[in-house]
Amino acid sequence: MRNEVRFSGFGGQGIILSAVILGRAAVMYDNKYAVQTQVYGPEARGGASMSAVIIDDTPILYPKVAVPDIYVIMSQEGFEKYGADAVNPAMMLVDSTLVHSRPACRCIEIPATKEAKISLGRDIVANIVMLGALVRSTHVVSETALEKAILDSVPKGTEDLNIRAMKKGIELAAGISP
């Protein structure tokens, strides 16, 4: 099954890292194919940034996400630039702490930044909270694969914090998704 996932937020939120972790989980731990692309430049700190991942059971011949079926949006500007045109049957996870608009498609609100700050004491792991929620809501990769990919990708000494962030996202999404 093919999934095209678009991540967007502002520079510094770990948007590109999120896509890299998701692709790594698919390829290294779930025996799938994945391609990750990114857009950054003047957006590097503060402006809207975007990264995308295609995950498939078969080799991927074209690496560009054309019409995402899954969106993970972590800022209002990211929504306006990269998510406002989302329509059914797409699904969008939004960080309800920072995104105030809602799309025309199915929308799951995850207060990632708020929970990262309050529950974990570090808003910098909001992207990992969103990854946990994404995986719980869509099963695009397994939770086990995501955990292993996070452990491969985060700075040494932050593993426990990041795994707690992933589990917080899973918990938040479990209260919402079927």
Side-chain angles (χ1 to χ4, degrees), residues 6 15 26 29 46 49 58 66 69 71-72 74 78 85 104 107 120 124 142 146 150 156 163 165 171 176 178:
R6 178 181 290 165
I15 298 303
Y29 301 109
S49 65
T58 60
D69 54 312
Y71 294 78
V72 178
M74 294 189 61
D85 60 346
C107 181
L120 303 165
I124 197 165
S142 68
L146 179 63
I150 288 169
K156 296 297 173 212
I163 295 306
E171 174 189 319
I176 298 167

Side-chain angles (χ1 to χ4, degrees), residues 32-60:
K32 297 182 180 194
Y33 295 89
V35 175
Q36 183 265 329
T37 56
Q38 58 202 30
V39 174
Y40 63 94
E43 303 90 0
R45 287 277 176 214
S49 65
M50 186 274 290
S51 190
V53 182
I54 299 172
I55 298 173
D56 204 337
D57 296 325
T58 60
I60 298 163

Side-chain angles (χ1 to χ4, degrees), residues 81-92:
K81 192 167 183 180
Y82 296 109
D85 60 346
V87 294
N88 285 322
M91 176 196 303
M92 183 179 292

Side-chain angles (χ1 to χ4, degrees), residues 1-176:
M1 179 172 172
R2 182 181 180 100
N3 287 108
E4 297 187 0
V5 184
R6 178 181 290 165
F7 292 86
S8 184
F10 56 79
Q13 281 185 303
I15 298 303
I16 293 168
L17 178 62
S18 295
V20 168
I21 290 171
L22 186 63
R24 179 174 287 183
V27 170
M28 294 181 67
Y29 301 109
D30 270 353
N31 201 30
K32 297 182 180 194
Y33 295 89
V35 175
Q36 183 265 329
T37 56
Q38 58 202 30
V39 174
Y40 63 94
E43 303 90 0
R45 287 277 176 214
S49 65
M50 186 274 290
S51 190
V53 182
I54 299 172
I55 298 173
D56 204 337
D57 296 325
T58 60
I60 298 163
L61 303 176
Y62 183 67
K64 185 168 174 54
V65 169
V67 180
D69 54 312
I70 303 169
Y71 294 78
V72 178
I73 307 290
M74 294 189 61
S75 76
Q76 183 62 34
E77 187 179 353
F79 174 85
E80 291 166 6
K81 192 167 183 180
Y82 296 109
D85 60 346
V87 294
N88 285 322
M91 176 196 303
M92 183 179 292
L93 283 84
V94 298
D95 182 339
S96 58
T97 311
L98 302 173
V99 181
H100 308 294
S101 298
R102 295 298 173 260
C105 65
R106 179 173 173 220
C107 181
I108 298 173
E109 297 181 29
I110 303 293
T113 300
K114 176 182 172 187
E115 285 296 326
K117 186 178 254 180
I118 293 170
S119 301
L120 303 165
R122 301 285 310 273
D123 60 355
I124 197 165
V125 294
N127 63 324
I128 305 298
V129 173
M130 289 298 283
L131 276 174
L134 167 69
V135 168
R136 173 56 175 83
S137 300
T138 66
H139 307 288
V140 67
V141 297
S142 68
E143 290 177 15
T144 302
L146 179 63
E147 182 171 340
K148 289 177 180 177
I150 288 169
L151 291 172
D152 287 348
S153 305
V154 299
K156 296 297 173 212
T158 67
E159 297 93 345
D160 179 61
L161 172 64
N162 280 283
I163 295 306
R164 287 188 295 126
M166 179 197 87
K167 290 180 178 176
K168 177 55 76 174
I170 290 168
E171 174 189 319
L172 291 168
I176 298 167

